[in-house]
Amino acid sequence: MSDFKETLKAQIIEQLNLEDLQPSDIQDDAPLFGEDGLGLDSIDALEFIVLLDSNYNIKIADPNQGRDIFYSVNTLADYISKNKQ
Amino acid sequence: MYILQAIASISHQEVFQKELFWSNLHALEAETNIQHPDYKAFIPANALRRLSPILRMGIACAKSCQEAISEPFDSISVGTGLGCLIDTEKFLVTINTTSGDILSPTAFIQSTHNTISGQISLDLKNHAYNMTHTQNTLSFEVALLDGMLCVDEGKKHVLVGAADETVPFLKRLQPDIVSDEYPLTSGATFMVIGSENKSDAVGIVACELSFKQRDLTTWVDAFLAKHQMTAAQIGLVLHYDALELNDFQNKLSYAPLVGYNMSAPAFAAHLAVDWLKDSANQGAVLLINNMDSNKQALTLFQKA
């Protein structure tokens, strides 16, 4: 699981153009959105949906789920592992 | 006269936030790099990560002008020939290489031509008149005319500029659609104009466009006469392609200095302004945009 999270962090950095960050800069349980975390915004939420679809063939039917799924690397990794096709 | 309050360019020459730079200019090599400033000084990191070079250049030039005048812009007019090519290409390639069910929103949002003026507005929290003009190689002059009309309406700090960026794909369009005479380049030039005069100022007297081929000798004579000037009063003629205007002593093609991008005439406007700021130079500057023989423009600059 920890290798998978590192891979996921690298994919997040690439998809969101977080050019100044390394995977080690992203804490597993830190919030991704808002000022307390990476400061991501609504466009990044759309980029997450693209990331899940293109890399894991996961489609999020209800956008309202995003708030919980994209909360942190932990919640995102957990959702992918349960829904990966 | 439209008085210049600030100007900034990012190009393949080292001119950003510099004055009296003529002695440092050089003819560009075939493969040449744009001289990017440190954009982190102008754009928050969280916004910077999404912005392609054309947006970074536009915002940095606009903010440099903003800092120089310390007043909010009353209007923003931007010209671009080909717009945000990098994001456009990225978006189209993604459509072509994926199933296309869900596409990255960033490249789509930022692929439109008016993203440059929009991002300037967003970054500066400026809700004034905001317009984008795209007229190929005349895009800068059309934006300039828009800005001059804004000054005529009473606006005091009018931002006018132009930006274009190159992508490798453009080489495949040479020479039919894109000229192959000079290196393909990127660049942005923005300036603030208004009506308030001050000492040592430089101004724009007039700008005229033609969307059809015209005899330049006749047109230039009529243009100068309309503004009570003669060829003898012109200290420098800046032109892109070769031209025959025998009445003028000092003529220079700016094409080798800026390369080929559709906003090259905006950089030439900066050359004109910088030439006039040198007290050793006398006379006015006539800028001739003849990048495309079917779309030409004349712009007259002089010390105010």
Side-chain angles (χ1 to χ4, degrees):
Chain A
M1 191 68 168
S2 78
D3 284 350
F4 171 57
K5 286 179 186 173
E6 292 307 302
T7 303
L8 186 57
K9 288 175 187 176
Q11 290 170 340
I12 291 170
I13 287 170
E14 183 185 358
Q15 184 78 28
L16 275 54
N17 295 315
L18 298 167
E19 51 197 32
D20 289 336
L21 291 185
Q22 299 295 321
S24 58
D25 297 326
I26 305 175
Q27 302 301 312
D28 291 355
D29 57 352
L32 293 169
F33 289 81
E35 293 180 2
D36 295 336
L38 293 182
L40 305 183
D41 57 24
S42 57
I43 295 176
D44 296 311
L46 295 172
E47 295 286 5
F48 271 124
I49 292 173
V50 175
L51 187 154
L52 291 186
D53 182 61
S54 57
N55 290 293
Y56 302 102
N57 202 25
I58 296 174
K59 295 188 191 310
I60 296 181
D62 180 6
N64 292 326
Q65 287 181 286
R67 183 180 296 271
D68 296 327
I69 298 168
F70 306 146
Y71 178 75
S72 68
V73 169
N74 277 343
T75 59
L76 189 56
D78 185 54
Y79 183 81
I80 292 170
S81 62
K82 289 175 180 168
N83 292 275
K84 193 174 175 183
Q85 295 176 26
Chain B
M1 187 175 318
Y2 303 88
I3 306 299
L4 198 101
Q5 300 169 354
I7 188 165
S9 290
I10 294 172
S11 85
H12 292 241
Q13 307 278 353
E14 289 189 36
V15 296
F16 186 64
Q17 295 190 317
K18 287 188 166 56
E19 278 198 359
L20 302 178
F21 52 66
W22 269 78
S23 60
N24 295 325
L25 299 174
H26 58 276
L28 300 180
E29 306 286 338
E31 297 295 330
T32 173
N33 293 322
I34 191 159
Q35 303 295 312
H36 288 298
D38 179 9
Y39 291 113
K40 289 177 182 169
F42 299 92
I43 305 169
N46 210 31
L48 187 62
R49 65 189 167 95
R50 286 205 189 101
L51 303 179
S52 61
I54 192 171
L55 300 174
R56 294 177 180 204
M57 290 190 296
I59 293 172
C61 286
K63 289 186 87 168
S64 177
C65 289
Q66 178 81 92
E67 287 170 9
I69 66 167
S70 302
E71 296 280 345
F73 302 131
D74 297 313
S75 66
I76 296 170
S77 298
V78 177
T80 179
L82 296 174
C84 303
L85 277 182
I86 290 176
D87 279 318
T88 300
E89 185 179 49
K90 190 175 174 183
F91 180 65
L92 293 176
V93 167
T94 307
I95 288 178
N96 205 31
T97 55
T98 67
S99 63
D101 287 348
I102 299 180
L103 298 168
S104 167
T106 305
F108 170 65
I109 293 167
Q110 297 184 167
S111 64
T112 56
H113 284 47
N114 59 0
T115 307
I116 309 162
S117 61
Q119 287 289 342
I120 292 170
S121 172
L122 285 169
D123 191 282
L124 295 173
K125 296 181 173 54
N126 184 308
H127 302 288
Y129 171 86
N130 188 296
M131 188 60 66
T132 298
H133 300 272
T134 178
Q135 296 286 351
N136 296 316
T137 55
L138 284 186
S139 298
F140 166 66
E141 283 89 347
V142 175
L144 176 60
L145 282 180
D146 186 16
M148 291 161 77
L149 288 169
C150 287
V151 175
D152 292 345
E153 285 180 346
K155 292 183 170 61
K156 296 183 185 308
H157 309 292
V158 170
L159 182 71
V160 170
D164 268 288
E165 66 184 354
T166 189
V167 291
F169 180 77
L170 288 184
K171 287 192 174 179
R172 293 165 63 177
L173 304 180
Q174 293 176 319
D176 297 330
I177 297 176
V178 174
S179 168
D180 63 351
E181 286 187 70
Y182 301 100
L184 290 170
T185 55
S186 303
T189 293
F190 281 75
M191 62 190 74
V192 185
I193 57 173
S195 57
E196 193 173 323
N197 205 346
K198 61 179 183 178
S199 62
D200 300 330
V202 169
I204 298 169
V205 179
C207 177
E208 276 189 18
L209 311 180
S210 174
F211 285 90
K212 61 181 180 182
Q213 193 161 21
R214 291 182 67 166
D215 176 64
L216 271 174
T217 302
T218 309
W219 187 21
V220 166
D221 285 347
F223 178 70
L224 293 181
K226 188 173 173 182
H227 300 287
Q228 294 83 48
M229 294 198 83
T230 64
Q233 292 172 280
I234 302 298
L236 173 66
V237 174
L238 288 167
H239 57 92
Y240 194 85
D241 278 335
L243 82 170
E244 290 184 15
L245 285 176
N246 297 325
D247 291 344
F248 299 91
Q249 298 296 316
N250 191 16
K251 292 179 289 187
L252 178 77
S253 170
Y254 58 87
L257 303 176
V258 65
Y260 184 90
N261 71 75
M262 290 188 177
S263 291
F267 181 73
H270 197 167
L271 292 178
V273 169
D274 201 66
W275 190 88
L276 287 167
K277 284 183 177 174
D278 188 339
S279 57
N281 294 326
Q282 299 298 317
V285 179
L286 176 62
L287 171 58
I288 299 176
N289 177 355
N290 60 342
M291 290 183 78
D292 181 337
S293 60
N294 293 311
K295 301 183 190 72
Q296 300 165 313
L298 304 177
T299 311
L300 185 60
F301 300 77
Q302 71 176 26
K303 294 175 183 176

